[in-house]
Amino acid sequence: SQELEQSPQSLIVQEGKNLTINCTSSKTLYGLYWYKQKYGEGLIFLMMLQKGGEEKSHEKITAKLDEKKQQSSLHITASQPSHAGIYLCGADVLYNQGGKLIFGQGTELSVKP
Amino acid sequence: DVKVTQSSRYLVKRTGEKVFLECVQDMDHENMFWYRQDPGLGLRLIYFSYDVKMKEKGDIPEGYSVSREKKERFSLILESASTNQTSMYLCASSHKRGGAGYEQYFGPGTRLTVT
């Protein structure tokens, strides 16, 4: 099984709808990173969460970290076609081990106009 | 603006050829990483480097080697390319800090096809 599970694997939403993507770790999280990837391109760093209860926002995207549940959620409000892509979570589960991250499988988001 | 560049976006090579993939970062990062990304398998770490001339194996190093002669440059080498190395290759870099907090910045990727 995956050390970092993302759900759902894919999502199709109507433009303007809200959506949530979850990322759950089987190990203690020392840092959680959200990325967005457009098909065939590199990953774009969105935001990093480190402390339990931490919440960060960037435009209409909000990410939260639940340290006790070893889980993070990414919430998009009023989705737009520009939000379409693959969202990946990455996690630092090896404290002070030089920056190796593990990644989830990704969630493919499509936004229908 | 942070920048990681990769030498090619698309590359087609023949089986048995030696292949070099180059990655350059301009952020003075200590850490650099090479991943491959395949459908259904996600991102898998091939090799990483903490410093110049330092390298460590990741999860799937077989068939690959790396070189880091300068801090800003990290090269991935396929000694004898095989068809199962057809993939998207992604380079990333990050600062080296104590504790946690290692956001990685990625290049645009190289889609390699081995025929």
Side-chain angles (χ1 to χ4, degrees):
Chain A
S1 65
Q2 286 282 323
E3 291 179 309
L4 206 57
E5 293 268 1
Q6 278 187 244
S7 62
Q9 288 187 332
S10 64
L11 200 50
I12 302 171
V13 299
Q14 200 70 39
E15 184 176 356
K17 296 293 186 186
N18 303 336
L19 63 108
T20 299
I21 298 167
N22 292 305
C23 176
T24 304
S25 173
S26 60
K27 297 185 176 182
T28 301
L29 290 170
Y30 296 104
L32 193 289
Y33 309 82
W34 283 101
Y35 291 86
K36 180 185 175 184
Q37 184 180 30
K38 293 203 169 177
Y39 182 74
E41 298 183 9
L43 280 67
I44 306 296
F45 172 66
L46 295 175
M47 54 192 97
M48 173 180 74
L49 304 165
Q50 281 188 274
K51 299 173 188 173
E54 189 173 11
E55 183 174 318
K56 285 188 178 176
S57 292
H58 174 69
E59 297 177 346
K60 293 186 177 178
I61 301 175
T62 301
K64 298 180 190 179
L65 181 62
D66 186 331
E67 201 171 47
K68 287 182 183 175
K69 290 184 181 178
Q70 295 178 177
Q71 184 178 70
S72 177
S73 59
L74 185 86
H75 184 77
I76 298 177
T77 305
S79 58
Q80 299 168 0
S82 61
H83 287 128
I86 301 169
Y87 289 84
L88 292 99
C89 60
D92 181 0
V93 297
L94 300 169
Y95 187 77
N96 207 20
Q97 292 295 312
K100 279 176 65 176
L101 302 181
I102 59 171
F103 288 89
Q105 293 275 17
T107 296
E108 188 168 2
L109 171 64
S110 301
V111 180
K112 286 187 171 181
Chain B
D1 225 14
V2 296
K3 203 164 184 186
V4 180
T5 56
Q6 294 183 228
S7 48
S8 308
R9 290 299 304 274
Y10 301 94
L11 210 51
V12 179
K13 295 291 181 181
R14 292 192 182 277
T15 302
E17 276 192 90
K18 192 167 186 175
V19 182
F20 292 87
L21 302 182
E22 298 257 293
C23 175
V24 178
Q25 50 93 5
D26 66 357
M27 297 165 282
D28 201 36
H29 284 167
E30 295 82 5
N31 299 336
M32 294 189 77
F33 307 84
W34 274 107
Y35 296 91
R36 62 178 283 178
Q37 186 178 32
D38 301 286
L41 297 174
L43 275 170
R44 293 181 290 169
L45 182 64
I46 305 170
Y47 266 98
F48 60 106
S49 169
Y50 294 137
D51 205 344
V52 176
K53 297 195 188 295
M54 302 290 287
K55 61 184 180 185
E56 291 211 20
K57 293 180 181 179
D59 300 319
I60 51 162
E62 297 79 18
Y64 303 94
S65 62
V66 290
S67 172
R68 193 161 179 207
E69 297 296 317
K70 292 185 177 182
K71 189 176 184 180
E72 67 270 17
R73 191 178 296 267
F74 193 34
S75 302
L76 180 70
I77 304 152
L78 286 67
E79 296 289 342
S80 177
S82 64
T83 54
N84 63 12
Q85 292 179 309
T86 291
S87 185
M88 174 70 135
Y89 289 87
L90 291 162
C91 173
S93 70
S94 73
H95 272 304
K96 186 178 191 176
R97 300 193 188 101
Y102 294 100
E103 64 271 24
Q104 293 182 13
Y105 292 91
F106 284 78
T110 295
R111 184 161 293 282
L112 172 67
T113 302
V114 182
T115 62

